[in-house]
Amino acid sequence: MNIEAAVAAQQPLVQRLLDGVAEIGRDPPGITRDAYGRGENQAQALIAGAGRALGLTASTDAGANLSLRWEGSDPSAKPILIGSHLDSVVQGGNFDGAAGVIAGIGAVAALQAAGLRPRAAIEVLALRCEEAVWFGLGLIGSRCMLARLPEGALDLPHARGGKTLAESIAACGGDPAPLRAGTPLRDPAAIGAYLELHIEQAPQLVEAGAPVAVCLANPGNLRHPFIRITGADAHTGLPHRFRRDAALAGADLALELERMWLEEEATGRPMAVTIGRFHTPAGHHSLTMVSGSFELSLDLRAYEAAHLAALEARLAEIVARVAARRGVTIELGARSAAAPGPMDPAITAGLAAAAVRCGLDAPRLNSPGSHDANNFAASGVPTGMLLVRNHNGSHNPDEAMETADLMAAIRVLAEWIAAEG
């Protein structure tokens, strides 16, 4: 059986797994698979069962990441890792992350059906807690694996139930001790490559009319999940010159950040600003009160480390300016960061060539999202990504990846492994 026919034969398996993780996460109107909780655990169990049915060896590491390993023909060859995540945001969509894990299973099944055994071992990874919603820090599974957890991360509380990250990891069979010691769970130098498949998060492929793209780079990000602005509560009739209005300071800050974004993009420096939380305190705000308190979150992202550093410097200037103008204090609070993820040129070229062999015109595009691939690339692992067409963005119940498009991406992945693995 050739690779094209072997991949096509895996569509029932792929669809069954997509439907299975959807059922596990069902939370109308969307999908919720909580990290280090029932949703992620049950999804891991489903994927592990599919891997074992293919003869893959299942194991978990100290971060409770799942690995499904298919031994290659050459024990000395460095393994090829194919990974993504199974957790979701709250009431998000079914495909963000999960499609990439399932693609790894589909590619291995297709290669087996075609009678092809790669020289290098293939490992399908289900990495824990990629979404920052659960601990205010994202990419946790790959951070654990590569010793990239920031100081204090293991003491962060889970958004549901309040267990610390360390307690959550231990409850899922992991071991926080080597993570506290900063010990890599995998030696990056001993990994041959890391491949990730992910739905697109802006409709670039919808626009291009193509099912698959070869990713060039993922942005890094700088995040402040709990920015606090403090002014003074006051009567609504207070004249403007006496006010220390935290809500208007928040509005000023948001508008200045957008102005910065537009200025940067006008000079050809792509980036993004996202304010996910933006509110006066619900337990205290009132129609008849000038609010002396305001909270927001901030995500800045860009494709180069130097650009991110420059944006952070501009953020500090904007904060100081708004605070002085409004007579408030602005505390940025906890900070987390993820390094940009440039893809390996040789892998990018190899994936593009595999797409051509599949008869696909695969554009080369930047991804607007940060992914676990960022941590592998930043650790020196040769890294590549494929993006799959998706009509309605991600992190919402309307994610609309077609299974046929996922199968096209799996074929490109299988072709690449057959040629390079």
Side-chain angles (χ1 to χ4, degrees), residues 1-42:
M1 187 183 295
N2 63 27
I3 291 180
E4 181 179 7
V7 169
Q10 307 316 312
Q11 182 157 338
L13 167 64
V14 168
Q15 191 63 59
R16 176 175 65 80
L17 294 176
L18 290 171
D19 293 344
V21 294
E23 185 59 35
I24 287 166
R26 191 171 305 282
D27 184 14
I31 296 290
T32 303
R33 291 188 292 266
D34 48 331
Y36 292 107
R38 184 197 67 82
E40 191 180 55
N41 289 342
Q42 290 188 5

Side-chain angles (χ1 to χ4, degrees), residues 178-416:
L179 307 178
R180 287 196 186 279
T183 305
L185 307 181
R186 298 289 292 263
D187 177 5
I191 299 172
Y194 174 81
L195 276 292
E196 185 165 347
L197 183 149
H198 206 281
I199 59 171
E200 64 172 339
Q201 294 173 299
Q204 299 175 95
L205 288 170
V206 175
E207 184 178 66
V212 182
V214 177
C215 183
L216 296 174
N218 297 328
N221 62 59
L222 166 69
R223 288 171 170 165
H224 290 282
F226 301 108
I227 298 174
R228 289 183 171 83
I229 302 176
T230 305
D233 292 341
H235 188 279
T236 49
L238 192 69
H240 189 279
R241 67 185 182 279
F242 298 120
R243 293 192 182 204
R244 297 170 55 215
D245 190 323
L248 288 181
D252 274 1
L253 181 59
L255 290 173
E256 290 225 20
L257 287 168
E258 184 189 35
R259 190 173 299 115
M260 176 184 75
W261 183 4
L262 295 174
E263 289 171 358
E264 292 287 321
E265 290 213 328
T267 62
R269 288 154 62 89
M271 60 160 295
V273 172
T274 302
I275 297 172
R277 295 189 309 107
F278 191 77
H279 56 88
T280 51
H284 185 62
H285 60 195
S286 166
L287 174 65
T288 57
M289 185 178 73
V290 175
S291 184
S293 301
F294 199 82
E295 297 182 8
L296 65 149
S297 64
L298 176 64
D299 179 307
L300 293 178
R301 53 187 57 197
Y303 291 91
E304 298 176 1
H307 191 193
L308 268 180
L311 293 175
E312 187 163 19
R314 288 196 68 180
L315 170 64
E317 294 169 0
I318 290 169
V319 164
R321 188 162 59 246
V322 170
R325 181 165 63 240
R326 291 290 180 180
V328 300
T329 60
I330 302 177
E331 299 172 284
L332 292 176
R335 172 191 184 278
S336 68
M343 299 297 108
D344 180 81
I347 293 180
T348 297
L351 289 170
V356 170
R357 293 195 298 275
C358 295
L360 295 172
D361 181 13
R364 299 191 186 193
L365 301 171
N366 286 334
S367 168
S370 300
H371 304 289
D372 287 300
N374 291 49
N375 284 327
F376 287 91
S379 299
V381 177
T383 299
M385 281 192 71
L386 292 170
L387 303 174
V388 184
R389 179 165 51 191
N390 171 49
H391 285 263
N392 298 320
S394 67
H395 290 189
N396 69 73
D398 298 320
E399 289 175 4
M401 180 199 73
E402 297 289 340
T403 302
D405 290 344
L406 179 61
M407 298 310 297
I410 291 172
R411 186 179 168 202
V412 174
L413 182 59
E415 285 276 358
W416 183 88

